[in-house]
């Protein structure tokens, strides 16, 4: 009985050894697994957080705009708008002239009993800056160029609308022509929408004969509009700054200028004047 007690103790001790080894092994495996998962998680997290960098947009070509009222030569203004009320033009409103600018001229050339000729000319500039989220200035200008053409073709009351490429004016240009009856007179209208770099130039020229005067030909109106548009586009490159432009707010943030091709306000006054003179002389 006394000899069996030590033997029992040895058996229990030997039995405890495998259990301890298993426990140690489990503890070791558990640590390795946790560490492995941690490392795997870190590796996965590091890979997932890496995002491709977007390529920088192309810098805008022009950083400024010319003075709209001096963008067309005085000689050209005198030819296209005889007896212009303001030789220097009337500047349109803008909250930022480096983004948007415009100018217009109108005049009534009274020829006595032969009637009168009315002319209206308007030029507008819109510049687009390059923006990482919005795109390059040139791309944004191209988009606006297309919108302006669509807008002009849909002018209210326009008849015989036609659009054709106008080569030799900027990077791309389109001429939109149509007839329009306003103040009981027939107007011939020509609008040239052109893009040069990141700037869109919209030039509108129209005319009408009053008090029995003949309506100007559509061909003459278009020819004169193209001549003025070439000068306006050239003014962008000659007087506007060029180089890498800083990001600018969307051009739409600037105040809109009075709509081009609408001679009603000044036209009505001149109509009355012309009619009064024609009546008095007759």
């Amino acid at each position: 009985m006394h000899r069996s007690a030590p033997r029992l103790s040895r058996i229990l001790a030997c039995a405890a050894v495998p259990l301890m080894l298993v426990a140690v092994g489990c503890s070791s495996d558990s640590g390795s697994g946790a560490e492995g998962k941690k490392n795997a998680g870190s590796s996965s997290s590091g890979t997932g957080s890496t995002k491709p960098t977007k390529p920088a947009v192309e810098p805008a070509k022009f950083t400024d705009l010319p003075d709209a009222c001096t963008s067309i030569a005085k000689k050209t203004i005198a030819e296209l708008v005889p007896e212009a009320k303001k030789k220097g033009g009337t500047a349109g409103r803008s909250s930022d002239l480096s983004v948007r600018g415009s100018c217009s001229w109108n005049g009534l050339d009274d020829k006595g009993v032969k009637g009168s000729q009315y002319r209206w000319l308007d030029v507008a500039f819109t510049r687009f800056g390059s923006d990482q989220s919005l795109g390059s200035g040139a791309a944004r200008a191209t988009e606006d160029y297309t919108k302006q053409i669509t807008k002009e073709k849909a002018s209210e009351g326009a008849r015989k609308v036609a659009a054709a490429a106008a080569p030799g004016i900027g990077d791309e240009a389109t001429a939109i022509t149509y007839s329009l009856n306003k103040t009981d007179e027939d107007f011939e209208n020509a609008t040239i929408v052109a893009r040069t770099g990141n700037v869109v130039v919209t030039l509108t020229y129209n005319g009408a004969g009053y008090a029995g005067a003949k309506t100007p030909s559509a061909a003459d109106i278009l020819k004169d509009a193209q001549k003025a548009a070439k000068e306006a586009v050239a003014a962008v490159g000659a007087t506007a700054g060029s180089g890498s432009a800083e990001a600018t707010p969307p051009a739409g943030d600037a105040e809109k200028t009075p709509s081009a091709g609408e001679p009603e306000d000044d036209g009505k006054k001149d109509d009355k004047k012309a009619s009064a003179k024609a009546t008095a002389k007759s």
Side-chain angles (χ1 to χ4, degrees):
M1 188 70 178
H2 290 287
R3 285 184 298 179
S4 62
R7 182 179 179 186
L8 179 60
S9 297
R10 287 195 299 272
I11 292 173
L12 291 175
C14 291
V17 173
L19 292 175
M20 291 176 66
L21 291 175
V22 171
V24 172
C26 291
S27 176
S28 176
D29 291 343
S30 176
S32 299
E35 187 66 24
K37 290 180 180 180
K38 181 179 180 181
N39 292 337
S42 299
S43 176
S44 175
S45 175
T47 302
S49 63
T50 303
K51 295 181 179 180
T53 303
K54 292 183 178 180
V57 297
E58 179 185 4
K61 183 177 182 180
F62 299 110
T63 60
D64 203 355
L65 291 175
D67 179 352
C69 290
T70 60
S71 64
I72 300 173
K74 292 181 179 180
K75 181 180 178 181
T76 301
I77 297 298
E79 292 175 357
L80 271 59
V81 191
E83 303 300 326
K85 286 183 177 181
K86 295 180 68 174
K87 304 296 183 182
T90 301
R93 294 177 301 159
S94 174
S95 60
D96 188 345
L97 291 174
S98 70
V99 174
R100 185 189 295 274
S102 68
C103 192
S104 63
W105 298 260
N106 72 84
L108 185 71
D109 186 11
D110 189 349
K111 297 185 181 299
V113 294
K114 294 183 179 180
S116 302
Q117 287 290 332
Y118 176 83
R119 296 292 185 274
W120 191 84
L121 175 68
D122 178 272
V123 62
F125 299 87
T126 307
R127 183 181 65 83
F128 296 85
S130 293
D131 187 283
Q132 189 64 35
S133 60
L134 299 176
S136 70
R140 298 175 64 200
T142 300
E143 182 179 356
D144 185 70
Y145 166 77
T146 302
K147 288 181 179 179
Q148 292 303 319
I149 294 173
T150 302
K151 177 182 176 182
E152 289 298 325
K153 291 168 66 175
S155 296
E156 184 178 357
R159 299 174 302 177
K160 300 179 182 179
V161 180
I169 305 177
D171 295 325
E172 54 185 337
T174 298
I176 302 96
T177 57
Y178 56 84
S179 299
L180 188 67
N181 185 276
K182 298 181 75 68
T183 63
D184 296 325
E185 299 293 345
D186 291 325
F187 280 76
E188 287 297 337
N189 187 97
T191 297
I192 309 297
V193 181
R195 181 186 68 81
T196 175
N198 57 309
V199 175
V200 175
V201 180
T202 303
L203 184 138
T204 297
Y205 182 54
N206 61 45
Y210 284 103
K214 186 179 179 181
T215 301
S217 71
D220 287 342
I221 290 294
L222 175 59
K223 181 180 177 181
D224 289 341
Q226 289 177 321
K227 177 181 179 180
K230 287 181 180 179
E231 293 184 13
V233 169
V236 175
T239 63
S242 61
S244 299
E246 295 180 358
T248 61
D253 291 347
E255 295 179 22
K256 293 184 178 180
T257 59
S259 58
E262 296 294 337
E264 277 190 336
D265 293 340
D266 292 323
K268 286 181 179 178
K269 295 179 182 178
D270 290 334
D271 296 346
K272 293 178 181 178
K273 176 181 175 183
S275 298
K277 286 186 178 180
T279 301
K281 292 180 180 180
S282 61

